[in-house]
Amino acid sequence: MAFDRRTFLGTTAATGAAVALAGATSTPAAAQQQDVKGPAPRTYAFTVMGTTDLHGNVFNWDYFTDKEFDDKAHNDVGLAKISTLVNQVRAEKGRRNTLLIDAGDTIQGTQLSYYYAKVDPITARRGPVHPMAQAMNAIGYDAAALGNHEFNYGIPVLRKFEEQCDFPLLGANALDAKTLRPAFAPYSMHRLRTPCGRDVKVAVLGLTNPGIAIWDKANVQGKMTFPGLEEQAAKYVPKLRSMGADVVIVSAHSGSSGTSSYGDQLPHIENAAGLVAEQVPGIDAILVGHAHTEIPEYRVKNKATGKDVVLSEPLKWGQRLTLFDFELTWAKGRWSVAKVAARVLNSNTVAEDAKITRLLSDEHRKVVAYVNQVIGTSTQAMSSADGPVKDVAIIDLINHVQAETVRAALAGTEWAALPVLSQASCFSRTAAIPAGQVTIRDAAGLYPFENTMEARLLTGAQLKDYLEYSARYFVRTAPGDAVDPAKLTNAESIPDYNYDAVYGLAYDIDIAQPAGSRITGLTFQGKAVDPAAQFVFAVNNYRASGGGNFPHVPQAKQLWSNSDEIRNTIIQWVKAKGTIDPAQFASVDWRLTRAGVPVF
């Protein structure tokens, strides 16, 4: 596959398309029949397989628990499982009657991917090949769209990963900030040979998320810009059709809902795949990513043509594989799409492909050894199991480390005398710190995201608004009603990571009251919080950039920021202290109440 991977700072950006040419099919998917009435229409069928949001998962393994991955639904994860499903589909359909694509968020998410970005980086001289590149090359991917998390480790890591892939990384709306030309290939064109008529030309257009400009501002500002998905699709789809594409598929790292979890912070809609289908004529199917939801098949009628566009989103981490099944007919010298259907396959129905697990067994062992390094001890066990409904020590640990880090960073500045508060969420309900020895994986498990830290300046009134917004997370429960902790949270489908506890303040959350009127008894050091008082707020970059659409923080004055992941800050803190003693930082400062009576 000839693909010119020009460096980002080169004089021209990659504007061409990677072309994949499939040879003559060994298992014909077309049928030519004749009867007394004349020849029947010539047809051809092929399948496009798709994954998304793999997030560094190759093995069916949880590096934070150091055991095989499992959840309540008994899902499995990883490219090794996906490889087995892909092999089965190729055996059924014929290898050359299939394509395999991805919708982004590939190189961030597990300790495996972190290790080869930070600990033994692929960017080092004579550095390793990224495990995700090795696995995806071995499986035989044809194209992949860029996800927003591709930019988490900076452009040099992404460019090195791109160089190591045998398939193009697509991003029609990832532009060079100076030239406004594509910084990555916008599309790829693939030929599928048929037993009748000419080859079928399948175009794959890659679109990424415009939120990258905010979420990874430190890595992309002044280097890349990210216009809206609809805008770029409207530019490229007609071009692809004029180039002779019989089928146009979009691989979009953007959810289908048309909404944004960032309010007006984003310049363009975050989850725009459905709008692309509705507004841009000429698209046959869209592989959806980013939202981490499972959508086997979702049809959107295009406003201009009245035709259905088929969307599908396979579940994250390699838990599902989407299949788009196409049926084409040959008439008047051209192929046209007669039918498209989508479905998903569950990776827990198959075994891992031994070819993939053998290929990366050394990398896996290295990472397992790394995460099991002992970095300190804890005087007692701590668990996040009750973190969504109670003020627990393990969340206090995150907040304490953040507050202490910011306080040290502001020492000697004009802000040094202000009180420092901190926010954190229960990112994982299974995170735990054991009594006794504490390993890297224990500490890293508290913070599974690659967030970095900032310090923002807020007033007491703004913090009250922030807490009220956060408290929407709880289901309104009247006094006297039965309380089931499992049913108290995630109101309005708010995820756990969008409920923040604020460390340094004391307050009650009255869940009998409507959202917006729940925070009572808000105090700082035993005194009611002055609405005009100023506080330093230690906050992650996701929240600071508008993640979750919390009020005030994105507009607040930035006092300090750090490029190191909060996860690493916690690990380094434990190493430096040697001992974790909850008695030194943990206290119950917030609680759920109803009419002044504690829920627990």
Side-chain angles (χ1 to χ4, degrees), residues 409-537:
L410 295 180
T413 72
E414 61 181 300
W415 315 107
L418 290 180
V420 178
L421 312 177
S422 178
Q423 61 78 221
S425 305
C426 181
F427 298 111
S428 168
R429 297 192 184 200
T430 60
I433 296 291
Q437 290 186 334
V438 177
T439 64
I440 284 178
R441 68 176 174 84
D442 295 326
L446 304 185
Y447 220 110
F449 300 106
E450 309 293 295
N451 295 340
T452 58
M453 204 185 331
E454 298 187 16
R456 298 283 178 129
L457 186 66
L458 293 182
T459 66
Q462 290 174 327
L463 284 161
K464 173 72 158 44
D465 290 345
Y466 189 98
L467 288 169
E468 288 286 9
Y469 184 85
S470 184
R472 300 175 310 124
Y473 169 77
F474 297 104
V475 175
R476 190 175 184 182
T477 309
D481 284 0
V483 172
D484 180 355
K487 297 179 180 179
L488 278 183
T489 62
N490 307 103
E492 302 176 32
S493 299
I494 297 170
D496 292 348
Y497 61 76
N498 274 341
Y499 167 66
D500 286 355
V502 173
Y503 182 77
L505 298 177
Y507 53 95
D508 289 346
I509 302 172
D510 190 338
I511 59 174
Q513 298 301 315
S517 302
R518 290 179 169 178
I519 303 300
T520 62
L522 181 61
T523 61
F524 173 69
Q525 294 183 345
K527 296 180 180 179
V529 170
D530 179 352
Q534 290 187 314
F535 296 86
V536 176
F537 196 39

Side-chain angles (χ1 to χ4, degrees), residues 293-298 310-314 322-324 341-344:
T293 57
E294 181 179 345
I295 306 174
E297 183 183 88
Y298 174 47
V310 178
L311 287 72
S312 180
E313 181 175 5
T322 278
L323 304 186
F324 290 105
R343 55 196 168 104
V344 296

Side-chain angles (χ1 to χ4, degrees), residues 220-237:
V220 301
Q221 188 174 33
K223 299 175 183 177
M224 293 189 189
T225 185
F226 302 87
L229 284 82
E230 308 101 302
E231 170 190 331
Q232 294 303 104
K235 174 182 177 180
Y236 278 101
V237 171

Side-chain angles (χ1 to χ4, degrees), residues 71 75-77 315-321 345-348:
D71 63 12
N75 287 302
D76 288 346
V77 300
L315 198 58
K316 64 186 185 298
W317 306 345
Q319 296 179 55
R320 303 288 186 274
L321 176 70
L345 303 181
N346 193 328
S347 66
N348 73 5

Side-chain angles (χ1 to χ4, degrees), residues 93-246:
K93 306 287 184 179
R95 175 70 169 82
R96 293 167 181 168
N97 300 316
T98 65
L99 293 171
L100 175 60
I101 64 176
D102 184 79
D105 276 6
T106 304
I107 60 172
Q108 175 277 335
T110 63
Q111 287 293 287
L112 179 70
S113 54
Y114 176 83
Y115 186 89
Y116 288 97
K118 292 286 192 176
V119 182
D120 185 11
I122 60 173
T123 48
R125 189 168 178 233
R126 297 179 182 174
V129 177
H130 198 288
M132 295 301 287
Q134 291 191 60
M136 294 174 82
N137 289 343
I139 295 169
Y141 273 78
D142 294 288
L146 294 164
N148 55 285
H149 283 288
E150 260 64 84
F151 294 84
N152 285 175
Y153 297 119
I155 291 172
V157 169
L158 175 54
R159 285 301 187 192
K160 189 65 178 179
F161 175 70
E162 179 189 27
E163 179 185 314
Q164 293 175 343
C165 291
D166 294 339
F167 51 91
L169 300 184
L170 308 178
N173 62 329
L175 309 182
D176 182 305
K178 294 179 181 177
T179 66
L180 298 183
R181 298 182 69 184
F184 295 84
Y187 59 85
S188 58
M189 192 74 78
H190 309 266
R191 289 182 181 271
L192 301 177
R193 289 208 175 147
T194 73
C196 55
R198 61 170 170 79
D199 296 348
V200 170
K201 294 178 71 174
V202 181
V204 180
L205 177 66
L207 296 171
T208 192
N209 206 291
I212 295 165
I214 292 176
W215 309 327
D216 271 298
K217 182 179 179 180
N219 291 325
V220 301
Q221 188 174 33
K223 299 175 183 177
M224 293 189 189
T225 185
F226 302 87
L229 284 82
E230 308 101 302
E231 170 190 331
Q232 294 303 104
K235 174 182 177 180
Y236 278 101
V237 171
K239 179 178 180 178
L240 294 171
R241 290 293 184 183
S242 70
M243 291 169 62
D246 302 295

